[in-house]
Amino acid sequence: MSRAASNGADDTAHDGDGTGPYPDANPHAHPHSSHWGAFDAAVRPDGSLDVTPDPRDPHPAALLRNVPAALGPRDRVLTPHVRRGWLEHGPGPDPARGTDGHVPVPWDEVIPLLAREFDRVRTAHGNRAIFGGSYGWGSAGRFHHAQSQIHRFLNCLGGYTRSVNTYSLGAATTLLRHVVGDDAPISNPTPLSVLAENTGLFLCFGGMPAKNTQVNAGGISRHRAPGLLRAARERGAHFILVSPLRDDLADELDAEWLAPVPGTDTALMLALCHVLIEEGRYDADFCRRHCEGFDTFAGHVLGRDGSAAKTPHWAEEICGIPAARIATLARELTEHRTMISLSWSLQRAHRGEQPLWAGIALACLLGQIGLPGGGFGHGYGATGGTGAGTLPYKLPTLDQGTNPVPDFIPVARIADLLLHPGEEFDYDGGRHTYPDIRLVHWAGGNPFHHHQDLGRLRRAFARPDTVVVHEPHWTATARHADIVLPATTTLERDDIGGAKQDTALIAMHRVADPVGEARDDYRILSDLAGELGIGHAFTQGRDANGWLEHLYESWRQGLPPEYAPEEDFKSFWRAGRIPLRALREQRTLYAGFRADPDAAALPTPSGRIELYSATIASYGYDDCPGHPSWLPPEPAEPGAYPLHLIANNPPTRLHSQLDQGELSASSKVRGREPVRMHPDDAAARGVRDGDVVRIRSTVGSCLAGAVLSDAVRPGVVQLSTGAWFDPSAPEVATCVHGNPNAVTRDTGTSRLAQGCTGQLARVEVERYDGPLPAVRAHGLSH
């Protein structure tokens, strides 16, 4: 049992950087770090794990309660396995993937077996026939970062077909390059500490959910976001939440709740712009000096281009917010130092580029971009690091090398890649071709969590000749693989933890011996590289500990003296933690650009914020024109599927990680993921609190446990992502455990970005009265 939830430290306590063990720490515990915080851990005599959050953290994450499950033998891949059909019949497409059994194979046999398959594919089809799949959330460690490890290995081997962008921000990163020139609003926004002191009005599209601030890529030693937002409220700042979910802002912020129809934020934003322009309340000087294409955008908003005028009455018919409130809200925005907060969730939907672009346009009209506490931000509340400040230098990082293969896909198009080799696709003005993938090599990440239309993904995974997966646990991805290599969890290896938005570098000491025959990705890939004749190129003669010392010392020696730590590697390792200096917490995004847009021009074609992009317009995409526009989502038979499903991030785990953990398991309803629905919608369907329901869409279905709540807008149901995919009873549902991606559509945001659209879907919900199939996502015997 973890003690992670017992620490109720005040947000202002223990806020120093600190070094070394803290008072009252378990003398047998080891310092460690994770995406959800720093902690100490020790294995008890009975084999269970004692986890103690760092008391210097002002708001430790409840997610630490899941950590002990990582070491339990339940669901662990204990030895290498090869799928029976692949072992008996050899490589080739096979619809039995995901249902076929796996056979244990010793390490000294599976590595040569896999090396021969790599050689066969490279010789017969070339390196472009290898897809290197990975994702960055496997560990907070800088060295044992699965994505870096597998990419380095494949680059040493001659390259691979890669993916670009992320499921989280696929539309945003592509669009921002055109509108503001780079991803600064994501990677380096105005810190929350500045907002806490200066912002008078927070207009939060999609909210700033406190649950998401538990996590940060690379780790987080100080969870400060909830306290900083509370400080803003106590100072007198006003919060307005625009979301179908009332708890997308904390109750203590006393926010006004505006609940639009899901996916209609763009219409509301354009109507706010209409009021500002029509009533002459916009900052004309800012729009003239700092923006490109204002006249074109304004003409569209006012209907001068032949489209409908984007009036509040026009928007009310689309989003459901009263026209009178839209008009008064627009005026209120001009009376305060206003922050337009745009959540990442807005752009994870069909035509997701538009709400982000429209929100930036709204901030431009207010003219407060570059002022402390004003302007816009993208992702406050998305992670604990967003708005925490940034370090002015890099952290230790494993070099991935250079990939000589030019082929790529937008990351959310993996099923298209596997199903449609040779087919062309559009992306960001280019026309590209899907290569013919014969070998999928996946280490880190779980596509059967983050991809959409999992029934289609199963068909896609049946097509390659061979699927290889490194996995600690028997996830759905492992079950759909031909070769499953048991990988260690972060607790079973030494590493270095740190993030550019944090103030501590953590010596992540190994807490426990590897479970079963698990090996870390570096050892697996080192052995495979040796078998393939690229051993030295991959390892450079170092073991894992040698790499840790090399990365630390080369990083330390390369830093300017004012930032470099005094501790050598051995001192750092003994201390367990050292401070990272010079976190920039007092800066304002685009302050220099505001002061002098010529001297500090943005890296866009015009040097300005592009409210109209001639580049995007030149692509001729009808699903992403040259300026922010209201583009209705594709029809989804609303009569048959009248409810809007919101598939957001869960409060009880990070994505699908440790779904079997204590906190995640405690949220289940009759063993299934909870789905929230408004009492009126439930009553109309005869659904009571605690019932098992079936959620249906055009692509699939899933079972979930009903939770009735008036914090959900009528006509909306909310089912978090991350329940391990369980297709074991297809006669009942595509997934019997409650994975929402069983019902979400596998389509891109637009031809511009081809981003993930998994946030929203149209569904129907019905009470399920049949015999309940067992949930077999966890603990299935192999």
Side-chain angles (χ1 to χ4, degrees):
M1 185 81 172
S2 165
R3 295 187 292 174
S6 63
N7 189 319
D10 182 80
D11 281 358
T12 59
H14 308 292
D15 204 27
D17 294 323
T19 58
Y22 47 81
D24 303 322
N26 184 330
H28 303 292
H30 301 272
H32 210 76
S33 186
S34 67
H35 291 305
W36 41 91
F39 60 92
D40 271 26
V43 178
R44 296 191 182 103
D46 65 0
S48 62
L49 191 68
D50 179 48
V51 176
T52 305
D54 188 340
R56 291 164 291 200
D57 187 341
H59 198 76
L63 296 185
L64 288 172
R65 287 169 52 189
N66 288 330
V67 170
L71 291 181
R74 182 189 183 198
D75 305 313
R76 286 299 295 263
V77 182
L78 299 177
T79 189
H81 283 71
V82 178
R83 186 173 62 83
R84 188 179 305 276
W86 193 96
L87 199 60
E88 294 175 352
H89 306 296
D94 193 342
R97 286 193 185 106
T99 58
D100 202 2
H102 288 81
V103 179
V105 176
W107 277 110
D108 61 359
E109 295 181 20
V110 78
I111 291 296
L113 182 72
L114 181 54
R116 289 194 296 272
E117 177 61 359
F118 267 102
D119 275 339
R120 182 191 72 83
V121 170
R122 294 165 63 214
T123 300
H125 306 287
N127 280 67
R128 70 193 299 262
I130 300 170
F131 179 74
S134 185
Y135 220 54
W137 288 96
S139 167
R142 309 297 302 182
F143 175 66
H144 291 292
H145 178 246
Q147 189 178 76
S148 298
Q149 292 283 348
I150 189 174
H151 289 177
R152 178 182 174 85
F153 165 76
L154 292 173
N155 285 335
C156 290
L157 194 63
Y160 62 101
T161 292
R162 62 193 169 94
S163 63
V164 299
N165 303 330
T166 66
Y167 279 87
S168 296
L169 288 160
T173 51
T174 305
L175 179 74
L176 288 173
R177 287 196 296 269
H178 293 283
V179 177
V180 295
D182 56 25
D183 70 350
I186 299 169
S187 62
N188 202 13
T190 302
L192 284 170
S193 54
V194 175
L195 307 191
E197 296 173 359
N198 297 282
T199 302
L201 175 61
F202 291 83
L203 181 59
C204 304
F205 289 95
M208 301 182 191
K211 63 182 175 62
N212 295 345
T213 64
Q214 295 184 85
V215 305
N216 189 53
I220 179 169
S221 65
R222 304 183 303 166
H223 290 85
R224 300 181 62 211
L228 289 169
L229 293 177
R230 185 186 313 122
R233 181 69 186 101
E234 291 171 351
R235 180 182 49 78
H238 182 45
F239 289 80
I240 299 175
L241 169 64
V242 183
S243 170
L245 306 178
R246 187 175 62 208
D247 48 11
D248 272 342
L249 273 179
D251 286 344
E252 66 182 354
L253 300 180
D254 194 25
E256 177 188 356
W257 182 29
L258 302 178
V261 174
T264 64
D265 301 82
T266 302
L268 174 57
M269 295 170 182
L270 294 178
L272 293 170
C273 291
H274 186 281
V275 175
L276 296 177
I277 296 171
E278 184 73 14
E279 297 184 0
R281 294 174 181 268
Y282 72 99
D283 189 328
D285 183 64
F286 185 90
C287 291
R288 176 181 58 81
R289 296 185 64 229
H290 297 80
C291 301
E292 174 72 13
F294 170 76
D295 290 341
T296 300
F297 172 69
H300 176 69
V301 169
L302 297 174
R304 293 172 181 166
D305 60 354
S307 66
K310 312 307 181 291
T311 66
H313 289 286
W314 167 86
E316 179 180 1
E317 292 299 314
I318 297 170
C319 69
I321 304 298
R325 182 64 190 107
I326 295 174
T328 58
L329 175 58
R331 297 163 194 148
E332 290 170 20
L333 298 178
T334 67
E335 297 168 359
H336 303 273
R337 182 63 57 82
T338 297
M339 169 55 62
I340 305 297
S341 176
L342 308 165
S343 74
W344 289 358
S345 62
L346 297 176
Q347 51 83 59
R348 276 198 305 272
H350 197 235
R351 310 300 182 248
E353 296 86 357
Q354 301 309 313
L356 175 56
W357 204 352
I360 294 172
L362 176 60
C364 287
L365 266 61
L366 294 175
Q368 298 182 20
I369 292 174
L371 295 177
F376 73 95
H378 187 37
Y380 293 122
T383 71
T386 307
T390 54
L391 296 169
Y393 48 85
K394 294 181 179 180
L395 294 177
T397 304
L398 180 66
D399 181 18
Q400 297 184 16
T402 301
N403 185 359
V405 174
D407 298 271
F408 73 92
I409 61 164
V411 68
R413 303 270 51 82
I414 177 65
D416 287 349
L417 167 72
L418 298 179
L419 289 169
H420 302 297
E423 186 173 294
E424 293 186 335
F425 67 96
D426 291 301
Y427 170 70
D428 199 12
R431 190 78 170 162
H432 307 276
T433 302
Y434 292 123
D436 186 1
I437 298 300
R438 299 305 182 99
L439 188 153
V440 174
H441 191 184
W442 213 291
N446 180 6
F448 281 88
H449 154 67
H450 51 242
H451 198 68
Q452 284 64 63
D453 191 350
L454 295 180
R456 184 171 187 259
L457 185 65
R458 295 190 81 192
R459 296 191 295 275
F461 261 60
R463 193 197 165 277
D465 292 347
T466 301
V467 177
V468 185
V469 169
H470 303 200
E471 253 296 346
H473 302 95
W474 281 108
T475 63
T477 300
R479 295 174 186 179
H480 284 80
D482 299 305
I483 300 176
V484 185
L485 305 176
T488 54
T489 68
T490 178
L491 298 170
E492 299 154 64
R493 58 198 183 218
D494 292 329
D495 212 334
I496 299 171
K500 278 185 67 67
Q501 306 86 17
D502 202 39
T503 58
L505 195 71
I506 309 292
M508 298 169 60
H509 290 201
R510 190 174 82 170
V511 174
D513 293 334
V515 173
E517 297 179 25
R519 297 179 178 179
D520 61 62
D521 294 314
Y522 180 68
R523 183 179 174 189
I524 294 172
L525 295 172
S526 296
D527 290 346
L528 185 56
E531 192 75 22
L532 288 163
I534 57 168
H536 186 77
F538 178 72
T539 68
Q540 294 186 12
R542 300 185 184 96
D543 61 12
N545 288 336
W547 269 108
L548 291 178
E549 183 168 358
H550 169 74
L551 292 178
Y552 178 89
E553 291 295 352
S554 58
W555 164 73
R556 183 171 75 106
Q557 294 166 14
L559 288 176
E562 64 269 26
Y563 303 142
E566 298 177 358
E567 297 87 351
D568 62 12
F569 179 75
K570 291 181 180 178
S571 299
F572 158 65
W573 201 254
R574 283 195 301 269
R577 168 183 179 141
I578 60 171
L580 294 171
R581 304 173 184 173
L583 186 73
R584 294 176 175 173
E585 299 180 86
Q586 294 296 321
R587 57 172 297 279
T588 297
L589 180 65
Y590 299 131
F593 170 67
R594 178 185 184 85
D596 192 335
D598 294 318
L602 300 181
T604 59
S606 64
R608 306 295 193 259
I609 299 172
E610 303 223 341
L611 301 184
Y612 171 81
S613 168
T615 301
I616 293 178
S618 72
Y619 299 159
Y621 297 153
D622 57 0
D623 54 4
C624 190
H627 54 72
S629 303
W630 163 245
L631 302 174
E634 289 180 346
E637 301 180 42
Y641 302 101
L643 299 175
H644 295 267
L645 171 71
I646 296 177
N648 61 356
N649 286 328
T652 59
R653 59 185 171 266
L654 169 58
H655 301 317
S656 64
Q657 289 188 35
L658 300 177
D659 184 34
Q660 75 276 37
E662 176 196 340
L663 182 64
S664 180
S666 71
S667 71
K668 307 287 183 177
V669 177
R670 298 175 70 178
R672 290 157 229 276
E673 193 67 15
V675 57
R676 292 196 300 170
M677 59 191 310
H678 193 276
D680 292 348
D681 294 322
R685 292 161 175 79
V687 172
R688 297 163 299 182
D689 200 77
D691 282 347
V692 172
V693 298
R694 179 159 45 199
I695 305 169
R696 297 184 291 104
S697 76
T698 58
V699 303
S701 60
C702 66
L703 299 185
V707 175
L708 308 191
S709 172
D710 63 5
V712 178
R713 185 191 195 276
V716 171
V717 294
Q718 177 262 314
L719 177 66
S720 292
T721 62
W724 284 13
F725 178 54
D726 185 347
S728 59
E731 71 282 1
V732 174
T734 310
C735 175
V736 300
H737 189 203
N739 189 315
N741 282 326
V743 302
T744 54
R745 297 178 63 203
D746 185 12
T747 57
T749 52
S750 76
R751 285 180 288 168
L752 179 77
Q754 297 283 6
C756 165
T757 60
Q759 186 76 17
L760 302 177
R762 294 298 292 265
V763 301
E764 179 57 291
V765 175
E766 60 194 17
R767 191 178 68 218
Y768 179 73
D769 294 323
L772 276 179
V775 175
R776 296 167 62 82
H778 303 292
L780 185 64
S781 175
H782 281 259

